[in-house]
Amino acid sequence: MNHLLEEQYKQLGIAPEVLRFGTEIEKNLKERFDKIDAIAEFNQMKVIAAMQKNKVSAECFNSSSGYGYNDIGRDTLEQVYADLFHGEDALVRPQITCGTHALALALMSNLRPGDELLSPVGKPYDTLEEVIGIRPSKGSLAEYGVTYSQVDLLPDGAFDYENIRKAVNEHTRLVTIQRSKGYQTRPTFSVDRIGELIAFIKGIKPDVICMVDNCYGEFVEEKEPLEVGADMIVGSLIKNPGGGLAPIGGYIVGKKECVENAAYRLTSPGLGKEVGASLGIIQSFYQGLFLAPTVVSGALKGAIFAANIYEKLGYDVIPNGSESRHDIIQAVTFRNKDAMIAFCEGIQAAAPVDSYVTPEPWAMPGYDSDVIMAAGAFVQGSSIELSADGPVKEPYAVYFQGGLTWYHAKLGILSSLQKLYERNLVKLV
Ligand SMILES: *Cc1c(COP(=O)(O)O)cnc(C)c1O
């Protein structure tokens, strides 16, 4: 172990035995990290190629205000996204406030009264329940006469093809497929598996729109869902593709008609993509996208490192230490309240921002138990930055994600381990 480095870690509160424990684990991950680097390299080239093809220039970084007519920075960025993700067109805007908004926009603009929305992969992300009307809400799809049907995954995580076939009917207009498990325990789907599902559905009903909720999945693999038959992909810029630099935003990429519908809904029928000032933040969208492949690779390494550390210490981790990864989320089940809280305190203590505050469990709206959240982020609520959270109740599971660099993710995990170690909640064997 490099002595200077050990001293530096010590200054940050990491004991030599904790660092050594982590370093031993890291040694065994070299091959996996090499694979992640190779994917990042591929995706970096893909991003640069799309920027070069569309002649990104300094002029693209100019600010626009008011209506934002002829904002070439905005229009060029949308073309970059379209090429990069293999779509015909794209909508990438600061006026899309978050991932839920982007998904709501894609759904509400492409569905009409009398249509049915189908989720063939079980329950969608929590915040979509009110969008769809699974939980009644003002302005939900249900209020506008759009019905919803759902087919759950089989117990082993496989698609229930038989019941999906039965669920597709003459009203089925749009199928939503969530790539990441989000905060559930089902597996995250690889892009190839999503492709198989789409092929099956299009085999039954070719004109159905297949939308993929791409949150947390961008740049984890070489391929993205439009390359395997999806019509539209949707995501948040304060997750993977914003690279930690975009301060707000969401995207929809795909078929021209799907994107146009979304643009007409975001602004107005007739105006569509023509308006929408970028207010001086477009450069961060370009720079964030440029950095995104390596940022995602750092986050992935952090997730794998955490899985291997906590698996070795005897905790349940999802995904486990050796399985292949399709998103950046890592769950660790502590089955112990003190350990869960110690973990979150450690993540917080390692942050570049707000490291001196102690995260406390609190009653968050919409949850039936206290929730603890650790995040010391440059962009508020950004989950591509190192963060951890979970409901403070049995089985005391923490969801952990992000890290703008691998070294920061590593420090965060070592710091979490340090807290557990100091409090005699783990033995380092
Ligand atoms: C984060 C996330 C969303 C919602 O995005 P917000 O920006 O939090 O609104 C939707 N789906 C998935 C799978 C997500 O991970």
Side-chain angles (χ1 to χ4, degrees):
M1 170 64 54
N2 174 332
H3 182 67
L4 277 177
L5 186 60
E6 197 173 305
E7 276 305 310
Q8 195 64 56
Y9 272 110
K10 229 192 233 167
Q11 266 189 33
L12 286 161
I14 309 297
E17 53 274 34
V18 170
L19 179 60
R20 263 194 296 277
F21 187 84
T23 306
E24 279 308 306
I25 301 259
E26 187 185 344
K27 270 187 204 152
N28 296 323
L29 297 176
K30 192 166 176 341
E31 238 171 76
R32 293 199 69 192
F33 282 14
D34 286 348
K35 278 192 194 138
I36 290 170
D37 287 337
I39 292 172
E41 183 175 359
F42 178 88
N43 284 326
Q44 182 73 80
M45 297 310 125
K46 201 161 77 171
V47 169
I48 293 172
M51 290 189 176
Q52 291 185 349
K53 180 182 163 205
N54 289 290
K55 299 196 161 59
V56 172
S57 67
E59 209 189 341
C60 292
F61 308 145
N62 290 342
S63 183
S64 70
S65 62
Y67 293 98
Y69 291 131
N70 303 315
D71 181 331
I72 78 149
R74 177 196 67 206
D75 295 347
T76 303
L77 180 70
E78 288 179 337
Q79 205 45 57
V80 169
Y81 263 74
D83 284 335
L84 172 65
F85 288 128
H86 297 259
E88 293 170 4
D89 203 353
L91 188 66
V92 185
R93 301 283 169 129
Q95 287 82 11
I96 302 177
T97 55
C98 62
T100 304
H101 185 190
L103 288 157
L105 181 62
L107 291 171
M108 292 178 166
S109 59
N110 281 287
L111 287 160
R112 296 289 178 272
D115 287 345
E116 186 156 286
L117 167 67
L118 168 67
S119 171
V121 297
K123 190 184 95 59
Y125 198 76
D126 271 9
T127 55
L128 286 184
E129 290 184 0
E130 285 188 59
V131 171
I132 295 167
I134 300 170
R135 274 187 283 140
S137 188
K138 290 191 184 99
S140 68
L141 286 167
E143 274 200 351
Y144 283 93
V146 174
T147 55
Y148 171 69
S149 93
Q150 177 177 314
V151 178
D152 289 337
L153 297 171
L154 294 169
D156 65 353
F159 302 127
D160 184 352
Y161 284 119
E162 203 184 310
N163 282 310
I164 293 170
R165 183 186 297 283
K166 285 184 201 150
V168 176
N169 61 51
E170 76 264 36
H171 298 294
T172 309
R173 174 81 186 117
L174 198 153
V175 170
T176 179
I177 302 167
Q178 185 180 309
R179 178 172 172 182
S180 165
K181 66 184 171 306
Y183 301 121
Q184 293 172 265
T185 49
R186 66 141 166 107
T188 287
F189 307 126
S190 68
V191 172
D192 282 336
R193 275 196 76 197
I194 291 173
E196 286 160 25
L197 178 58
I198 291 172
F200 178 79
I201 290 164
K202 297 249 178 192
I204 305 167
K205 192 168 185 185
D207 63 346
V208 79
I209 299 168
C210 289
M211 177 185 100
V212 175
D213 174 351
N214 213 25
C215 285
Y216 284 134
E218 299 91 350
F219 302 123
V220 172
E221 299 182 37
E222 282 104 340
K223 250 191 292 188
E224 299 288 341
L226 294 176
E227 295 166 70
V228 295
D231 299 295
M232 170 166 62
I233 57 172
V234 183
S236 162
L237 297 199
I238 61 168
K239 292 181 179 170
N240 305 15
L245 294 186
I248 192 171
Y251 75 83
I252 297 171
V253 185
K255 291 263 161 68
K256 200 161 187 55
E257 195 185 335
C258 294
V259 173
E260 187 167 47
N261 282 334
Y264 271 33
R265 169 93 193 198
L266 176 66
T267 62
S268 152
L271 300 182
K273 291 177 66 179
E274 304 287 321
V275 295
S278 56
L279 301 173
I281 63 168
I282 207 83
Q283 185 176 345
S284 69
F285 286 16
Y286 281 100
Q287 264 180 305
L289 181 65
F290 178 73
L291 294 178
T294 48
V295 168
V296 169
S297 73
L300 270 174
K301 288 176 185 176
I304 292 170
F305 184 58
N308 281 275
I309 285 201
Y310 284 99
E311 191 170 64
K312 178 126 200 230
L313 294 169
Y315 296 104
D316 282 338
V317 293
I318 301 174
N320 71 30
S322 55
E323 70 190 88
S324 71
R325 300 266 156 172
H326 306 290
D327 68 15
I328 62 168
I329 301 176
Q330 180 64 47
V332 183
T333 303
F334 286 103
R335 299 188 199 285
N336 175 318
K337 185 176 170 183
D338 295 336
M340 173 193 192
I341 291 173
F343 179 95
C344 290
E345 286 184 16
I347 296 293
Q348 186 77 39
V353 181
D354 292 337
S355 63
Y356 55 88
V357 305
T358 307
E360 297 273 357
W362 60 297
M364 224 177 106
Y367 289 83
D368 60 359
S369 68
D370 283 357
V371 174
I372 186 164
M373 292 190 168
F378 295 102
V379 172
Q380 281 177 37
S382 167
S383 46
I384 187 62
E385 298 186 54
L386 191 64
S387 50
D389 50 76
V392 185
K393 64 175 183 187
E394 284 287 350
Y396 299 106
V398 161
Y399 298 87
F400 153 90
Q401 66 270 310
L404 294 184
T405 69
W406 149 237
Y407 303 114
H408 178 230
K410 177 177 171 180
L411 173 66
I413 296 145
L414 290 175
S415 170
S416 72
L417 182 57
Q418 175 73 31
K419 294 281 184 217
L420 275 100
Y421 176 65
E422 281 169 10
R423 295 173 195 181
N424 285 320
L425 294 161
V426 287
K427 285 213 167 32
L428 304 180
V429 280

